[in-house]
């Protein structure tokens, strides 16, 4: 009888654990992780700007029509760095396979450790600790690093953090870039700073290493709730801001398809992954439950007999 009780409690615990795993990371609405492009857009070269001009404004058969011309560099706002940016034999923007731009994402939030430290460098142990807490990386995946920097974007001086011609902001170490490559799972890496390398880097190790393996970068990610965890208790405006979970979401990275482009502005959107559908368990989830029930039922029968 004791054996039956053990199996019953095992079954209940499996159901509860699986349910929590499915629903805890459910994203109710898509989350836009992109900064808009306007006259305040920040580019890698501080002298570059967006130029917008109206080419024509007219009426045709009583219909209002307007044409505009927008000129902007490749590397500004939320954008993708193609491997060609630092690897002459790497993929250009148009070379990146579409299926590698629409994969599962992981969110590695080190903002509490950064705590606005402009000299913070991401090390392999930060990534290893994340895996210990949240499980191994999906394969393939896009890795998003949250340095807690995106809230500065609306204030150019704070975001670029430039002094005497040198910028200061967090980035990846050479060792972290090598760790990412060695996983064999990461197809893209995203950061909420201007570069995946530290702001004062002159060797650009992370760029060089990742681009050598055709791993693209997404720079200037916009985390809409970047300051909410500090202000939520005191400011009602942050109460309903969506939060990006550590995992359990899909990413859609949609750069402008420039032929031979080394980079391109991109719309980056996170949505709930396929474990759930409109808030209800998916077919695969239900199948796992039924299969678990059958296995446990068989063991219970053997225990009784």
């Amino acid at each position: 009888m004791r054996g039956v009780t053990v199996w019953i409690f095992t079954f209940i615990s499996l159901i509860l654990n699986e349910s929590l795993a499915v629903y805890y990371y459910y994203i109710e609405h898509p989350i836009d992780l992109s900064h808009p492009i306007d006259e305040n857009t920040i580019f890698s070269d501080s002298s570059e700007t967006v130029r917008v001009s109206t080419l024509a404004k007219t009426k045709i058969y009583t219909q209002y029509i307007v044409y505009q011309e927008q000129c902007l560099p490749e590397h500004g706002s939320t954008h993708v760095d193609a491997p060609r940016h630092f690897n002459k034999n790497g993929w250009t923007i148009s070379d990146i396979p579409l299926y590698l731009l629409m994969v599962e994402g992981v969110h590695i939030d080190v903002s509490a450790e950064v705590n606005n430290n402009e000299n913070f460098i991401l090390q392999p142990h930060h990534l290893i600790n994340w895996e210990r807490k949240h499980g191994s990386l999906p394969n393939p995946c896009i890795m998003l690093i949250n340095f807690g920097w995106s809230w500065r974007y609306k204030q150019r001086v704070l975001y670029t953090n430039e002094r005497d011609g040198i910028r200061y902001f967090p980035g990846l170490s050479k060792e972290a870039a090598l760790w990412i490559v060695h996983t064999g799972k990461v197809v893209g890496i995203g950061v909420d700073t201007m570069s995946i390398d530290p702001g004062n880097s002159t060797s650009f190790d992370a760029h060089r290493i990742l681009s050598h393996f055709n791993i693209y970068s997404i720079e200037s990610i916009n985390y809409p709730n970047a300051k909410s965890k500090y202000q939520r208790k005191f400011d009602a405006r942050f109460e309903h801001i969506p939060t990006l979970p550590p995992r359990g979401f899909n990413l859609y990275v949609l750069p402008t398809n420039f032929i031979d482009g080394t980079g391109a502005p991109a719309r980056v959107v996170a949505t709930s992954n396929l474990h759930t559908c409109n808030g209800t368990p998916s077919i695969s989830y239900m199948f796992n439950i039924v299969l678990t029930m059958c296995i446990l039922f068989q063991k219970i029968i053997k225990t009784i007999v």
Side-chain angles (χ1 to χ4, degrees):
M1 185 65 183
R2 187 172 63 179
V4 175
T5 304
V6 170
W7 283 115
I8 290 175
F9 276 101
T10 301
F11 172 72
I12 293 173
S13 65
L14 284 172
I15 297 296
L16 289 176
N17 287 336
E18 182 67 11
S19 298
L20 288 173
V22 170
Y23 287 102
Y24 181 73
Y25 295 133
Y26 178 68
I27 299 176
E28 184 176 0
H29 301 292
I31 301 176
D32 191 346
L33 300 173
S34 320
H35 289 289
I37 296 177
D38 56 21
E39 65 277 5
N40 298 314
T41 294
I42 299 174
F43 294 95
S44 299
D45 184 342
S46 300
S47 64
E48 296 172 331
T49 60
V50 176
R51 300 186 301 278
V52 180
S53 58
T54 300
L55 299 180
K57 186 183 295 185
T58 184
K59 282 188 176 182
I60 300 179
Y61 301 113
T62 72
Q63 299 299 318
Y64 172 81
I65 299 176
V66 63
Y67 299 92
Q68 292 187 150
E69 179 182 63
Q70 300 195 28
C71 299
L72 68 159
E74 294 176 326
H75 301 271
S77 187
T78 303
H79 66 281
V80 172
D81 274 3
R84 178 67 63 87
H85 191 36
F86 274 80
N87 175 10
K88 66 179 181 179
N89 297 315
W91 287 336
T92 64
I93 283 292
S94 56
D95 291 331
I96 301 175
L98 189 59
Y99 69 89
L100 295 183
L101 296 169
M102 299 183 291
V103 299
E104 190 168 349
V106 296
H107 174 212
I108 300 178
D109 187 352
V110 292
S111 58
E113 294 180 67
V114 175
N115 194 25
N116 288 317
N117 176 11
E118 62 186 26
N119 296 312
F120 178 89
I121 307 294
L122 188 81
Q123 300 292 346
H125 73 263
H126 295 110
L127 307 175
I128 294 170
N129 289 341
W130 185 93
E131 279 202 314
R132 287 173 179 167
K133 185 175 181 180
H134 301 289
S136 60
L137 295 172
N139 187 18
C141 71
I142 298 171
M143 179 185 290
L144 299 183
I145 308 296
N146 186 346
F147 291 118
W149 212 256
S150 66
W151 67 270
R152 297 168 172 249
Y153 187 85
K154 292 184 179 180
Q155 302 180 60
R156 182 183 297 266
V157 173
L158 290 178
Y159 191 70
T160 60
N161 203 31
E162 185 172 333
R163 298 190 299 274
D164 299 324
I166 300 175
R167 293 169 177 170
Y168 297 90
F169 50 75
L172 278 67
S173 66
K174 176 181 179 180
E175 293 74 18
L178 289 171
W179 187 93
I180 290 169
V181 168
H182 290 158
T183 66
K185 299 178 179 179
V186 181
V187 299
I189 177 82
V191 295
D192 55 346
T193 54
M194 297 179 66
S195 171
I196 60 173
D197 283 290
N200 58 359
S201 174
T202 57
S203 57
F204 304 105
D205 292 325
H207 269 102
R208 290 189 300 101
I209 292 169
L210 296 178
S211 64
H212 180 75
F213 291 91
N214 274 332
I215 298 174
Y216 61 85
S217 306
I218 314 166
E219 295 170 338
S220 293
I221 289 287
N222 177 27
Y223 295 108
N225 63 324
K227 293 192 73 175
S228 64
K229 63 181 178 181
Y230 303 110
Q231 299 185 0
R232 192 180 298 274
K233 293 182 180 179
F234 312 104
D235 194 335
R237 292 176 301 171
F238 291 89
E239 184 177 354
H240 302 295
I241 294 178
T243 301
L244 191 66
R247 64 186 307 158
F249 60 91
N250 289 337
L251 278 177
Y252 296 85
V253 182
L254 305 173
T256 304
N257 193 18
F258 292 144
I259 299 298
D260 296 331
T262 67
R267 195 75 178 266
V268 182
V269 179
T271 65
S272 183
N273 67 14
L274 300 180
H275 289 169
T276 58
C277 180
N278 297 325
T280 59
S282 65
I283 294 176
S284 61
Y285 170 70
M286 294 303 298
F287 175 78
N288 289 333
I289 293 297
V290 173
L291 182 62
T292 303
M293 290 176 63
C294 291
I295 294 173
L296 291 177
F297 182 73
Q298 183 183 25
K299 291 185 178 294
I300 290 172
I301 295 299
K302 287 183 178 180
T303 303
I304 295 174
V305 174

